Amino acid sequence: MVNAALGGQLFVGVGGHKLTVVEVDATYVKPVEVDHFLLQPGQTSSVLLKAGQTQGNFYLAARPFIAPNVSTDNTTATAIITYVTASGDPVSSSSSAPLMPSLPAFNDTSDAARFSQSLRSLASPEFPVNVPLQVDRHLFFTVGLGLLPCSSCPFNVTLAAAVNNISFVLPQTALLQAHYFNQSNVFTEDFPTAPQNMIDFTGQPPANPFTVRGTRVTKIPFNSTVQLVLQGTSLIGKENHPIHLHGFNFYVVGQGFGNYNNVTDPPSFNLVDPQERNTIGIPQGGWAAIRFRADNPGVWFMHCHLELHTMLGLDTAIVVDDGSTLDQSLIPPPLDLPPC
């Protein structure tokens, strides 16, 4: 199952059935039996369902999981699963009312966190875990909403989104093109490794909620190991942010609510069988820590999978340098590649 929504996490369940989650983002996990599961925008899951009930009609239902301070349609979407006999005849009459699953409330943050934290990689000889145990680069990125000055807008401000207080500006020249051909004046490599001011990110909003605009990226040597802590903020309001990193799978070694603490939180990291993903939902008013090896040279976009937040600037990019050999380096673009 794929969550193809533009702006909503979804609780998913099937009436009268347990579901067994066996895969997330194209990587196996230890089987987890659930009444329902959570899908962030852009995430995928494979679930097993045993058709062992006596009744024949059941609702497959999806209900949004949204922050309490966000106003949106919380309608439950449904489809119907119908049992049939070997000859193709329905087991129940068409008038039989489908059974509805019991789904969490649309703002049940604890249920969402409980499911996310229950997932573990197989960590078997056939499917090993290669989570970096030693870290070369430590990054701390805040993600959330803020404001930008706007002389033509009501109250002279407009809504923005930002990573480390920088609202990303998409350049007219492709980032990868500029990197490969060493073009100047397209982006700068001075994206901060941590916020300039370490405040109470999830508590009382600060007096200054303004962000700045820029096209700034993080540059990382080839084959470096990276730990990236993604910290949600409450500058405008606490929200759950599904963050997707192109070019890599990563291991989710830790999650929690409130402000990340670099002294007390790392001892509880799961470095044995953490889930491997390409999209992670940062808990509302919380944080997630991921680790990966930067062994894929190029320019890789990282963004919120809520479409509006991406449009508002909740994006950045990571540039991974070439390695020392040809097979560790970017290949040139084909001669017939259409220009951006």
Side-chain angles (χ1 to χ4, degrees):
M1 302 191 72
V2 182
N3 184 346
L6 294 178
Q9 301 86 10
L10 297 170
F11 290 119
V12 183
V14 176
H17 293 76
K18 293 282 189 180
L19 301 171
T20 304
V21 179
V22 295
E23 169 267 324
V24 297
D25 289 356
T27 60
Y28 289 120
V29 294
K30 292 181 173 69
V32 179
E33 188 178 74
V34 294
D35 295 314
H36 57 269
F37 62 99
L38 178 70
L39 272 180
Q40 305 279 346
Q43 284 186 342
T44 69
S45 287
S46 293
V47 298
L48 306 181
L49 177 150
K50 184 177 181 180
Q53 303 300 313
T54 54
Q55 182 180 333
N57 294 326
F58 307 90
Y59 276 123
L60 164 64
R63 173 181 295 167
F65 164 55
I66 55 177
N69 60 318
V70 176
S71 177
T72 189
D73 183 352
N74 62 1
T75 304
T76 300
T78 57
I80 297 176
I81 294 176
T82 299
Y83 286 7
V84 296
T85 64
S87 60
D89 298 320
V91 172
S92 299
S93 67
S94 58
S95 60
S96 174
L99 186 63
M100 189 73 167
S102 177
L103 296 177
F106 71 93
N107 58 357
D108 194 336
T109 301
S110 61
D111 187 280
R114 185 165 52 250
F115 171 75
S116 181
Q117 294 172 10
S118 71
L119 300 173
R120 298 285 187 272
S121 291
L122 287 182
S124 65
E126 187 178 4
F127 300 99
V129 165
N130 296 310
V131 58
L133 300 181
Q134 301 297 322
V135 176
D136 300 320
R137 290 291 301 275
H138 287 267
L139 304 174
F140 185 94
F141 290 178
T142 60
V143 296
L145 301 179
L147 298 175
L148 281 170
C150 175
S151 59
S152 61
C153 301
F155 307 107
N156 295 318
V157 296
T158 186
L159 187 64
V163 181
N164 273 358
N165 215 44
I166 299 169
S167 188
F168 193 77
V169 178
L170 287 169
Q172 295 298 307
T173 301
L175 294 171
L176 183 59
Q177 175 182 325
H179 168 63
Y180 184 84
F181 291 107
N182 200 25
Q183 294 175 260
S184 58
N185 301 319
V186 177
F187 61 83
T188 60
E189 298 174 354
D190 58 348
F191 192 87
T193 59
Q196 183 176 3
N197 298 310
M198 300 298 287
I199 62 173
D200 181 2
F201 297 109
T202 59
Q204 183 67 28
N208 180 7
F210 283 90
T211 65
V212 296
R213 292 169 63 83
T215 308
R216 300 163 65 178
V217 306
T218 302
K219 194 170 186 179
I220 297 176
F222 179 81
N223 214 36
S224 298
T225 54
V226 180
Q227 176 176 296
L228 169 57
V229 175
L230 296 159
Q231 172 71 62
T233 70
S234 59
L235 266 69
I236 299 298
K238 298 177 183 178
E239 289 194 54
N240 177 289
H241 296 282
I243 300 297
H244 174 60
L245 174 61
H246 291 223
F248 299 94
N249 275 12
F250 51 74
Y251 292 100
V252 184
V253 296
Q255 301 176 67
F257 289 99
N259 298 313
Y260 172 76
N261 186 303
N262 63 0
V263 174
T264 59
D265 287 322
S268 65
F269 281 179
N270 178 6
L271 303 178
V272 177
D273 59 353
Q275 58 181 292
E276 184 180 352
R277 308 209 70 129
N278 59 49
T279 304
I280 179 63
I282 302 174
Q284 177 192 333
W287 57 271
I290 66 174
R291 289 188 182 185
F292 63 96
R293 181 176 293 276
D295 55 3
N296 193 6
V299 182
W300 302 109
F301 201 43
M302 191 183 81
H303 62 98
C304 182
H305 241 304
L306 302 181
E307 189 73 9
L308 176 61
H309 290 184
T310 291
M311 294 168 60
L312 291 173
L314 211 163
D315 328 290
T316 187
I318 294 176
V319 176
V320 178
D321 280 332
D322 287 347
S324 58
T325 63
L326 188 62
D327 64 347
Q328 297 174 347
S329 304
L330 279 173
I331 61 174
L335 297 176
D336 60 349
L337 181 68
C340 290

